[in-house]
Amino acid sequence: MRLKSRHLLGIESLTPEEIVLILDTAESFAEISRREIKKVPTLRGRTVVNLFMEPSTRTRTSFELAEKRLSADSLNFSASSSSLVKGETLIDTARNIEAMAPDFIVMRHQMSGAPHFLARYCRSSIINAGDGSHEHPTQALLDAYTIRQKKKAIAGLKVAIIGDILHSRVVRSNIFLLRKLGAEVILAGPPTLMPLEVARLGVKVTHSMAEALDGADVIMMLRIQMERQGKGYFPSVREYYNLFGLTEERVALAKRDAIIMHPGPINRGVEIESKVADGAYSVILDQVTNGVAVRMAVLYLLAGETGDADSAEERPGH
Amino acid sequence: MDEATIDRTLTRIAHEILEKHKGTDGLVLVGIRSRGVPLARRLADKIQKIEGAEVPVGILDINLYRDDLTTISDHPILRKTEIPFSVDGAKVVLVDDVLFTGRTIRAAMDGIIDLGRPRQIQLAVLVDRGHRELPIRADYVGKNVSTSLDEMVKVSLREEDGSDSVDLVVKAER
């Protein structure tokens, strides 16, 4: 079993087997994060450039931690400190970074497709850390890892994804992944935040919170992107909370053992009530922990194609 | 080696371990994935029968500690390391099927040392086929087999392969 591509640009191009390989590999890495010395020498001598053209704390630190735990050398570029603010084009930035011969470029960009563009010009492995409102593959993988950890399997589960579907890159990656692994996905949100084409991805769409939550095994809340709300997608935050906020009463509509997820950062009292965010069924912090293991697995698997080496005799050179 | 020979060999190694350590105090066995694991479990069973004491068994995947990951194109599938006890101050006996270049054992020692500070690390192998590339030797050896580099020592164990045997095969035949 191998990963077919040396890049991770999205979930759409992965096969179910490749997804399962990444999730299984992440389990080995989760064990390392529980050790006293949380570091292995696996990627010693490899260089990773974290190219974050859009603000991100959670994803960048998670990648950085994953890189450090694998002993890779990492270098951070952010939009404010890079030459992009001086008018350099993406291709020139890419060529300059490429000239430093990194092994990986982890890229966050506000434009959909930017990592795909980079992948055509670079010899390094490109990992998409979120491109516009397109995909965020490692987030979907860590969500799937968390669901599998709590629910044992993904096939057959009903997953309700609620909130700002329009601006979310997480939701696209999650739809691709959950559908590939056999889950039923239902989306809920205000009509203004629900892109029309999303129904074509094989999911149910509703504007009723009650319908989405009815019998759900997993409740995945999306962040209301306050920075993108200037265009009047809904009348007020208060009204949004009244219609789509996750409260204890609404959680009761889902299955008794439903888990509650959120990609973070959460807006308390907007998309989720504090009591729910901190409640017993919330796995929001597990998602953060699992993010490091999943990103370590992705880096490991992209560092070379995979193959099954077994006994000592089959290990080359051992 | 056939099933009976492998069993007798492991019984001897179990006795040797107990003799050297004068019992099971502080003793732990760590099997190197994948065939070192059933061998470690069998040794623990034998020690239990001889001494009446249980010896903890851990599982170590050395793939994260390999020194050739940057040069090979095929990365091995990772499986979990499961060492559910502290190795601090423990007398660790690493168990593997074949000792060859020594690089697996170097990786295993790095892996163990990352988990804590054992008092001692020893090595038990079913077969030592020579051709060392590092200054490593086993404390307990089932059988020394002279091999050439185009030969392979193929260890089969019932837990992994359905039956027990050790065969010398020419590489091209596989």
Side-chain angles (χ1 to χ4, degrees):
Chain A
M1 179 67 216
R2 294 149 188 261
L3 286 187
K4 286 199 301 273
S5 170
R6 64 192 173 88
H7 307 296
L8 178 67
L9 301 176
I11 299 292
E12 196 176 6
S13 55
L14 294 180
T15 62
E17 292 74 27
E18 287 178 300
I19 294 168
V20 170
L21 172 67
I22 297 172
L23 300 183
D24 288 346
T25 307
E27 283 190 24
S28 313
F29 286 111
E31 181 265 324
I32 292 163
S33 296
R34 290 192 291 269
R35 292 182 187 178
E36 209 166 302
I37 299 171
K38 302 171 182 58
K39 204 172 176 81
V40 287
T42 315
L43 292 188
R44 195 164 50 199
R46 301 276 182 117
T47 308
V48 188
V49 169
N50 298 312
L51 189 60
F52 277 71
M53 298 307 186
E54 204 184 40
S56 160
T57 309
R58 200 167 309 240
T59 306
R60 188 180 50 77
T61 48
S62 179
F63 265 109
E64 247 189 281
L65 209 53
E67 291 150 15
K68 288 187 192 327
R69 288 189 180 166
L70 289 170
S71 304
D73 299 314
S74 53
L75 201 63
N76 292 325
F77 281 82
S78 61
S80 55
S81 64
S82 80
S83 299
L84 274 192
V85 292
K86 300 176 191 165
E88 189 180 63
T89 62
L90 181 58
I91 185 72
D92 283 332
T93 307
R95 281 187 178 135
N96 278 287
I97 289 172
E98 187 70 4
M100 298 174 205
D103 298 284
F104 300 92
I105 299 176
V106 178
M107 188 196 207
R108 158 73 57 98
H109 203 281
Q110 63 276 20
M111 299 303 288
S112 300
H116 303 69
F117 175 79
L118 208 63
R120 287 203 296 275
Y121 290 95
C122 293
R123 285 183 301 273
S124 325
S125 285
I126 311 292
I127 301 174
N128 182 359
D131 60 330
S133 53
H134 179 228
E135 280 228 45
H136 192 352
T138 54
Q139 177 70 42
L141 287 162
L142 75 90
D143 288 344
Y145 183 90
T146 310
I147 296 173
R148 208 173 73 157
Q149 185 181 48
K150 305 290 173 190
K151 296 279 168 194
K152 307 297 171 224
I154 290 177
L157 295 180
K158 178 181 174 183
V159 183
I161 308 181
I162 295 154
D164 181 356
I165 310 291
L166 181 66
H167 296 110
S168 174
R169 49 189 157 226
V170 176
V171 81
R172 272 163 196 76
S173 290
N174 264 312
I175 291 171
F176 293 132
L177 193 154
L178 293 166
R179 296 265 305 134
K180 278 172 199 259
L181 294 193
E184 180 199 342
V185 180
I186 181 161
L187 308 179
T192 48
L193 292 173
M194 186 69 71
L196 287 173
E197 76 278 5
V198 85
R200 270 186 266 147
L201 299 175
V203 296
K204 260 173 88 176
V205 174
T206 177
H207 305 300
S208 150
M209 215 25 197
E211 189 186 340
L213 292 176
D214 181 37
D217 298 282
V218 178
I219 309 170
M220 203 180 273
M221 300 304 293
L222 297 176
R223 186 169 73 91
I224 284 294
Q225 307 202 3
M226 302 301 255
E227 67 275 21
R228 294 179 183 171
Q229 296 306 335
K231 293 178 187 163
Y233 289 105
F234 50 82
S236 69
V237 165
R238 191 183 178 86
E239 182 171 317
Y240 180 88
Y241 178 69
N242 285 338
L243 287 169
F244 293 101
L246 190 65
T247 58
E248 276 188 326
E249 297 75 53
R250 285 185 171 142
V251 172
L253 298 169
K255 283 207 181 132
R256 284 173 66 99
D257 61 346
I259 56 168
I260 296 155
M261 309 178 80
H262 194 298
I266 53 177
N267 296 308
R268 286 173 186 267
V270 179
E271 62 256 358
I272 193 161
E273 186 182 34
S274 267
K275 265 193 282 182
V276 175
D278 304 328
Y281 299 108
S282 164
V283 296
I284 297 170
L285 292 176
D286 297 278
Q287 288 173 271
V288 179
T289 305
N290 294 338
V292 178
V294 164
R295 288 173 177 122
M296 286 170 86
V298 166
L299 286 162
Y300 171 78
L301 290 170
L302 292 180
E305 294 172 68
T306 58
D308 199 353
D310 232 348
S311 74
E313 282 301 290
E314 288 166 63
R315 294 173 208 135
H318 280 254
Chain B
M1 287 168 90
D2 58 12
E3 191 180 336
T5 319
I6 291 173
D7 191 60
R8 271 198 301 277
T9 305
L10 290 175
T11 305
R12 173 174 53 79
I13 292 177
H15 278 288
E16 283 175 7
I17 291 172
L18 284 172
E19 197 181 323
K20 206 167 225 171
H21 289 277
K22 299 180 176 65
T24 57
D25 197 28
L27 190 67
V28 299
L29 300 178
V30 174
I32 299 173
R33 281 197 193 272
S34 54
R35 287 178 184 75
V37 178
L39 290 175
R41 290 206 175 108
R42 288 193 205 181
L43 280 173
D45 284 348
K46 288 187 182 297
I47 288 172
Q48 159 103 54
K49 277 185 193 134
I50 302 162
E51 197 75 3
E54 240 176 76
V55 177
V57 178
I59 299 172
L60 184 68
D61 186 306
I62 56 102
N63 285 313
L64 292 170
Y65 291 89
R66 292 170 61 131
D67 57 9
D68 58 351
L69 274 179
T70 49
T71 57
I72 54 168
S73 61
D74 275 10
H75 275 201
I77 301 253
L78 277 194
R79 273 162 291 182
K80 266 197 234 170
T81 286
E82 293 166 45
I83 300 191
F85 45 80
S86 168
V87 297
D88 282 330
K91 295 187 277 183
V92 178
V93 179
L94 287 171
V95 184
D96 205 359
D97 53 353
V98 180
L99 176 57
F100 181 26
T101 61
R103 289 178 189 270
T104 294
I105 305 305
R106 183 211 59 83
M109 287 195 287
D110 282 353
I112 289 290
I113 287 162
D114 266 4
L115 296 170
R117 191 181 184 281
R119 185 170 145 201
Q120 188 180 25
I121 300 179
Q122 291 190 328
L123 174 62
V125 294
L126 189 60
V127 177
D128 183 348
R129 64 166 293 192
H131 303 288
R132 216 75 80 237
E133 293 171 7
L134 296 172
I136 281 170
R137 63 162 188 83
D139 301 89
Y140 313 98
V141 181
K143 194 174 173 64
N144 285 295
V145 182
S146 303
T147 60
S148 74
L149 280 171
D150 54 2
E151 286 172 324
M152 289 192 65
V153 177
K154 189 173 185 303
V155 175
S156 302
L157 296 172
R158 62 172 182 273
E159 295 90 336
E160 297 267 328
D161 316 287
S163 63
D164 282 0
S165 64
V166 178
D167 299 292
L168 201 58
V169 292
V170 178
K171 263 182 190 169
E173 283 177 0
R174 292 182 88 240

